[in-house]
Amino acid sequence: MHSEALLLANIGQLLTIRAASGYSGPRRGTDLKHLGVLKDAAVLCLGGKIVSVGMTKDALRDPWLKKNRKKLTEIDCTSKVVLPGFVDSHTHPVFVSPRLVDFEKRIEGASYEQIAEAGGGIRSSLDVVRRARKQVLADKVLGALHGMAVHGTTTVETKSGYGLTVESELKSLEAIRNAASRWPGTVVPTLLGAHVVPKEFQGCSQKYAEIVCKEMIPQAARRKLARFVDVFCDNGAFTAEETEQIFAAAEENGLSVRAHMGQLSETRLQPFLRFNPASFDHMDHVNDDDIAQLTGHDTVATLVPGANYFLGLKDYPNARKLIDAGVPVALATDYNPGTSPTLSMPMAMSLACTHMKMLPQETIAAATINGAWALRVADRKGSIEPGKDADLAVFAVEDYREIPYWFGVNRCAMTVIGGSVVHKR
Ligand code: NIG
Ligand code: FE
């Protein structure tokens, strides 16, 4: 898969997103604005890795490059913006069908919670996933991954969570593994067995939580099918106590944790910090004490404005308050059939600008390096620096601010993964 040698040259704006020297950690506060922009720049990739980053004229003078120029694939990026491939750190791609009835009911005035209580929502996606062959699910996931790459995404966190039996959650994770083996990008799998309590356990959620802890988590861990365990901790899903219990089971089985927190209601976050969660996602409702706590941790607040948009909500998470306080913030699509059927990171970034008052440069760092921190892959992903994976997105725009500016169209002209061009328009 790894191409021999690839040179992107004459780049109009190269967003390296490299850290200030000596700094290592997710970007916070004003650091989120620093994109390390180089003009008329070049990136050389060898064996799937970035080997040098600098000015085009210096790259072309390099003795190694002069000698090997014929062996290089050279791509002219005049008037283009090159940035690290997006890291989409929150997606739910293992489903079969769109939820069009929910869509219409919401347009007619029903809320997400009312629809869920009436048997729609997450529970209505379960039957068909339980019945589906693994290969069908794998092909659905692969289709989504390809669509994401076309929009500039090169690393994706993918959750199970529409099976909610031991068998169908493991089948979903196997489908993710199968799709990942056929996609050149990087897939980080997450077990979301604790998405909702399925109807056969209604009224005895504790019994279901025990199955998650005693069966799903140990089996997923033993078979190395998941890197993270996620819990939807909220009204109508899992309680804080159940979430702690599930986090403890994950820890015992050597898996890291993350959670959907504060989407519909506020849950105190401080008690969970002892599990060192990689991220708390959604964060529409969060109190000031918890914000202060998060400033001292590497747990990333992953905001998913696509869900607010698609649910037609007036309010969005308070990104400004989180960023200005010093909480590391990432952006993700939350790709799923109920609340956010979009594959596009630029769409999430555009919503972050218009509805959460994030600056374009902040959305770019949140969609790359901080996504990488949220998945604990920042040693390899999320910035353009020698030694990191050669995962790059090339946008047909002259100024990086145009990436979130042109909404509803795809301006990604080329996607490079592991030094190979995987999409070109
Ligand atoms: O992130 N909140 C829980 N999970 C998803 C929604 C999943 C669905 O509705 O299918 C979310 O919004
Ligand atoms: Fe989600």
Side-chain angles (χ1 to χ4, degrees):
M1 185 63 230
H2 293 328
S3 84
E4 340 52 70
L6 176 73
L7 179 72
L8 303 189
N10 309 314
I11 300 167
Q13 290 183 340
L14 173 67
L15 316 184
T16 64
I17 325 213
R18 64 184 170 213
S21 74
Y23 178 80
S24 167
R27 305 295 159 81
R28 304 167 191 272
T30 53
D31 278 354
L32 202 60
K33 284 197 278 221
H34 295 152
L35 300 183
V37 184
L38 299 177
K39 290 186 178 157
D40 197 6
V43 182
L44 178 64
C45 310
L46 274 178
K49 299 281 180 191
I50 294 162
V51 296
S52 76
V53 179
M55 310 311 293
T56 302
K57 60 178 187 335
D58 298 333
L60 297 180
R61 275 205 294 260
D62 180 90
W64 182 91
L65 202 140
K66 275 187 175 159
K67 207 166 106 217
N68 292 280
R69 198 141 176 203
K70 279 204 206 78
K71 292 190 219 149
L72 280 177
T73 305
E74 212 172 304
I75 297 174
D76 177 48
C77 296
T78 303
S79 299
K80 299 214 165 56
V81 171
V82 176
L83 71 161
F86 296 122
V87 178
D88 191 346
S89 59
H90 181 146
T91 84
H92 307 246
V94 198
F95 62 88
V96 178
S97 319
R99 290 219 296 270
L100 303 174
V101 175
D102 293 9
F103 184 42
E104 285 184 333
K105 279 193 183 158
R106 236 178 356 259
I107 293 166
E108 289 165 353
S111 72
Y112 184 64
E113 287 139 296
Q114 285 164 342
I115 290 167
E117 276 158 26
I122 296 166
R123 288 186 191 90
S124 63
S125 289
L126 301 182
D127 273 356
V128 35
V129 168
R130 289 177 181 180
R131 275 187 275 117
R133 283 188 303 111
K134 193 191 334 181
Q135 202 55 39
V136 170
L137 296 178
D139 289 349
K140 288 282 182 187
V141 175
L142 184 62
L145 294 171
H146 281 314
M148 289 172 185
V150 165
H151 290 81
T153 298
T154 55
T155 295
V156 183
E157 185 258 14
T158 54
K159 305 175 198 294
S160 65
Y162 292 112
L164 308 188
T165 61
V166 176
E167 191 197 348
S168 60
E169 284 300 299
L170 293 172
K171 174 178 72 177
S172 298
L173 291 172
E174 285 168 357
I176 290 171
R177 175 177 284 179
N178 175 289
S181 73
R182 294 185 280 150
W183 189 61
T186 298
V187 171
V188 177
T190 294
L191 170 66
L192 179 54
H195 203 179
V196 284
V197 178
K199 66 173 181 301
E200 55 284 13
F201 287 91
Q202 224 155 19
C204 47
S205 62
Q206 187 51 36
K207 258 199 187 137
Y208 181 72
E210 258 171 47
I211 293 175
V212 173
C213 293
K214 299 214 167 102
E215 299 184 47
M216 285 183 198
I217 291 174
Q219 291 188 40
R222 183 159 30 81
R223 297 179 52 201
K224 295 198 179 355
L225 284 167
R227 163 99 207 271
F228 290 99
V229 169
D230 191 347
V231 180
F232 181 16
C233 177
D234 220 317
N235 288 343
F238 293 86
T239 63
E241 293 69 41
E242 288 161 346
T243 303
E244 279 202 49
Q245 186 188 342
I246 293 164
F247 276 10
E251 194 172 59
E252 263 167 46
N253 285 276
L255 298 179
S256 301
V257 298
R258 55 196 327 113
H260 287 66
M261 283 286 181
Q263 181 180 15
L264 310 169
S265 64
E266 185 186 304
T267 302
R268 282 309 310 270
L269 301 178
Q270 194 277 333
F272 299 108
L273 289 173
R274 67 189 168 92
F275 295 102
N276 189 22
S279 67
F280 289 133
D281 302 38
H282 284 276
M283 300 283 276
D284 297 66
H285 304 275
V286 55
N287 73 45
D288 291 349
D289 287 347
D290 283 330
I291 291 180
Q293 290 281 331
L294 288 174
T295 61
H297 286 262
D298 280 356
T299 301
V300 174
T302 299
L303 310 182
V304 291
N308 299 66
Y309 163 76
F310 192 71
L311 295 179
L313 303 182
K314 177 168 72 28
D315 294 325
Y316 281 68
N318 196 337
R320 274 278 48 100
K321 193 172 190 180
L322 291 163
I323 294 168
D324 296 343
V327 177
V329 164
L331 287 169
T333 60
D334 194 13
Y335 174 69
N336 79 73
T339 66
S340 191
T342 180
L343 301 160
S344 165
M345 287 294 280
M347 181 69 202
M349 293 155 68
S350 188
L351 292 169
C353 291
T354 56
H355 287 68
M356 304 198 305
K357 308 293 173 228
M358 286 175 70
L359 290 165
Q361 52 268 49
E362 293 176 319
T363 70
I364 289 171
T368 54
I369 190 67
N370 275 5
W373 277 102
L375 298 184
R376 305 226 165 113
V377 294
D379 55 329
R380 294 185 285 141
K381 310 286 183 186
S383 64
I384 302 181
E385 297 177 89
K388 284 206 175 182
D389 294 346
D391 295 352
L392 310 166
V394 181
F395 273 73
V397 294
E398 292 197 19
D399 185 307
Y400 64 78
R401 291 172 294 187
E402 294 178 71
I403 296 173
Y405 174 91
W406 300 109
F407 79 95
V409 288
N410 184 18
R411 290 299 200 104
C412 179
M414 187 187 297
T415 308
V416 173
I417 297 181
S420 297
V421 176
V422 302
H423 150 72
K424 191 167 189 232
R425 211 181 43 197

